[in-house]
Every structure is written in structure tokens, then in C-alpha cells.
Amino acid sequence: MTANVGHEPQVVVAGEALIDLLVRPGGQITPLAGGSPYNAARAIARLGIQAAWVGALSADWFGRQLEAGLVDDGVQLELVQRTDLPTTLALAELAADGSASYRFYVDATSAPAVRPGPLSGGLPPPARAFLTGSLGLVLEPMADTLEAVAVGVPPDRLVMIDPNARPSITRDLDGWRARMNRIMERADIVKASTDDLACLRPGDEVDAAARWVLAHGPAVVLVTDGSRPVRVMTAGGSELVPAPPVEVIDTVGAGDTFGGAFLACLVHDGVGPVELADPAVPLRAARFAVRASAAVCARAGANPPTLAELGGWPAA
């Protein structure tokens, strides 16, 4: 899966890479490459869209495994920052229904160690989209670095934010909400789970919180809720996109794959911020993305599908 190597990136994905220590109900522990933006970058590359990942990788064994995963999928590494800090760890405890709860080990580890470095001058000129979120907008100095990149993206390129809220390790939730407010003023697309919305707008009903996000600036808000239909909200209204039925193995990486596949479809179609005003455009991408997400749920771990496994891009 290395066909993308050597080409200029069309999508830049920024944020954390870490190792998920997957704990199954019986107590078995399996280390898996993870991190929401890391998973999303791999999902985009597996769909044949040139992707570059921005983040920090440790020189330790886990860091080398994370790098190997990116290389195998053709994700470009020119924007990666190297560190001798140990790899960040997440303990992902699986419930009987396949859902995961997380505990993070982040202090003095690799993931937060992202500074402006290669992005101090902005995105590479060929890049048509920027995706960030999750711990990338929580852990410092990475969060300040990526906020500055996001708000500085030129207006003719897409910015997509996936809050992927982690209140258990967000030491300043009010500060996180203020950061999200600032970035949403530039964002074209916000993908938010119902849990994200509850964290962002405590006390609001889901629809009210999503409408608040939409009014804050984005052209599209994608509301996910586990196996329930995705709500695609635009200024023209909202529509539900159901996921295809699938026998769930686990849900690790499903949301990341959904977001990556959604953005990949837009970039493949040549969509920019102006074209998002047509509600049919994000709806088409969302229908493609739920298929990609369902494919991940049918196998263990964050293992995004290839374009061939999905039968190609959706018909125009």
C-alpha cells in the first residue's frame, strides 16, 4: 500500500499517534497502533488520496511500529517530528458490545511534543485540506501549534475538525472549549459525536448543540452516535445517513475512519469550501464514509478499508 509515496500531499492530518493497549473482556492485552489523527491519515491514504501526517514519533520500539504503519499505507512522513521521549500509551478497555473506554498515559511522552517546525510556513502548497482534533487540541505544546496552523489555513482550502473530546485528560475544559470556539470560526466541517457535543455544550440537547456549532461558522456539522444514523447538518437543513448493518467486532477507529473517508471523498471530488454550500455534496461524502466506518467495525482494531474493498468511489 505504498503507491502514494513520493507525491505531494493533498490532505494534511495533524495530531497524536500512540499505542492502544487493547484490553478485551477476558483480560487479553494487545498493543495496537492508534491515535485519532493517525488512524484518519491511514484511512485517507488507503483510499488512494495523498496524505501527510503531522505529529511526533518516539525513537523507541513502539514509535518505530507507528512509523511502519504510516509507511505501509503510503502516508508521507516529511512533516513528522522525532523525539527520544517514550511513546504515549492509551489503555482501551473493551466492553462486551465492542465499545471502548480509554485511560491515557501522556506526561513526558512523545505525542504532545509537536512544535511549529516544518509547518511554521503553513501547509504545503498542494494540500487541499487540513484535518485535526482529538488530543492534538488538548496536549501542549501540540495544541497551540495545531491551533495556529488551523486558523491560518487559506480560505480556499478545507479545514475539518474532529473534537474527539477526552475530558478525563483535559485539565482545563473551559480552555478547551474556548480553543474549539476559535478554531470553529475557521473550520468548514466539524465532525462531532454526541459525547463531543455534550462536552462542548453541557446541558444542551444534541440538536441544539449541533445547531450552535453550525451557527459558529462551519458549513457542515456531522453528528455521529455509535451505530445510529449520522446526522448531516447544513444551513439548508439536516438529513440522516444510516450505517449498513454489520456484525461488530469492535468500534476502535470507526469514527476516525468515518472522518478520514468523508474528507477523502470531498478531496477526490475536487470539493472546496464554496461547493460545500450544496447540501448534496456533504451528503454524498457521508454515505461513502459510513460504509468505510462500518467496514472497520467488522474487524479488530483500527484497520481502515481500502478503496477496492469499498468497491471504488460512489457514482456521481
Side-chain angles (χ1 to χ4, degrees):
M1 299 180 186
T2 58
N4 295 336
V5 174
H7 298 281
E8 294 288 350
Q10 292 178 275
V11 180
V12 173
V13 185
E16 78 277 8
L18 47 79
I19 292 294
D20 285 325
L21 298 177
L22 200 63
V23 185
R24 300 196 179 277
Q28 305 94 327
I29 299 177
T30 305
L32 297 172
S36 179
Y38 176 91
N39 294 337
R42 293 176 60 219
I44 292 167
R46 286 191 181 190
L47 295 172
I49 300 297
Q50 313 297 330
W53 180 73
V54 176
L57 289 178
S58 174
D60 65 18
W61 187 86
F62 281 144
R64 296 194 297 274
Q65 296 308 300
L66 288 165
E67 180 169 344
L70 295 170
V71 170
D72 286 348
D73 288 329
V75 178
Q76 296 168 33
L77 305 181
E78 289 84 355
L79 303 177
V80 167
Q81 299 181 33
R82 312 289 177 167
T83 177
D84 288 327
L85 294 170
T87 296
T88 306
L89 301 177
L91 194 68
E93 299 182 54
L94 295 181
D97 64 357
S99 62
S101 60
Y102 290 85
R103 300 173 189 268
F104 295 90
Y105 301 84
V106 300
D107 290 344
T109 65
S110 59
V114 179
R115 301 185 183 277
L119 279 181
S120 56
L123 297 185
R128 304 313 309 160
F130 179 71
L131 168 61
T132 191
S134 193
L135 299 183
L137 299 179
V138 173
L139 305 177
E140 297 292 3
M142 174 167 55
D144 281 347
T145 297
L146 299 187
E147 177 184 353
V149 174
V151 300
V153 172
D156 62 339
R157 305 186 197 183
L158 293 171
V159 173
M160 182 172 177
I161 305 300
D162 179 0
N164 201 18
R166 301 298 188 193
S168 64
I169 63 165
T170 304
R171 294 166 181 165
D172 180 5
L173 277 171
D174 287 338
W176 174 81
R177 293 181 186 112
R179 187 189 302 278
M180 293 304 304
N181 290 353
R182 295 191 295 270
I183 296 177
M184 284 191 299
E185 291 178 358
R186 171 58 190 88
D188 301 291
I189 305 150
V190 173
K191 172 204 161 290
S193 69
T194 52
D195 288 342
D196 295 338
L197 292 173
C199 192
L200 187 62
R201 299 288 294 173
D204 280 6
E205 296 292 334
V206 170
D207 280 356
R211 286 195 297 272
W212 179 88
V213 173
L214 189 67
H216 217 73
V220 180
V221 177
L222 305 165
V223 181
T224 62
D225 188 13
S227 62
R228 297 178 179 86
V230 173
R231 184 176 296 276
V232 182
M233 301 186 69
T234 66
S238 67
E239 292 206 39
L240 295 177
V241 178
V246 65
E247 184 175 344
V248 175
I249 302 299
D250 66 52
T251 62
V252 177
D256 311 328
T257 297
F258 173 85
F262 181 89
L263 190 57
C265 189
L266 295 182
V267 170
H268 171 266
D269 290 348
V271 170
V274 172
E275 290 80 11
L276 283 179
D278 179 357
V281 170
L283 193 61
R284 177 175 182 270
R287 288 172 175 152
F288 175 76
V290 296
R291 291 171 45 219
S293 180
V296 172
C297 294
R299 47 204 190 190
N303 186 8
T306 64
L307 187 61
E309 289 176 313
L310 295 176
W313 298 106

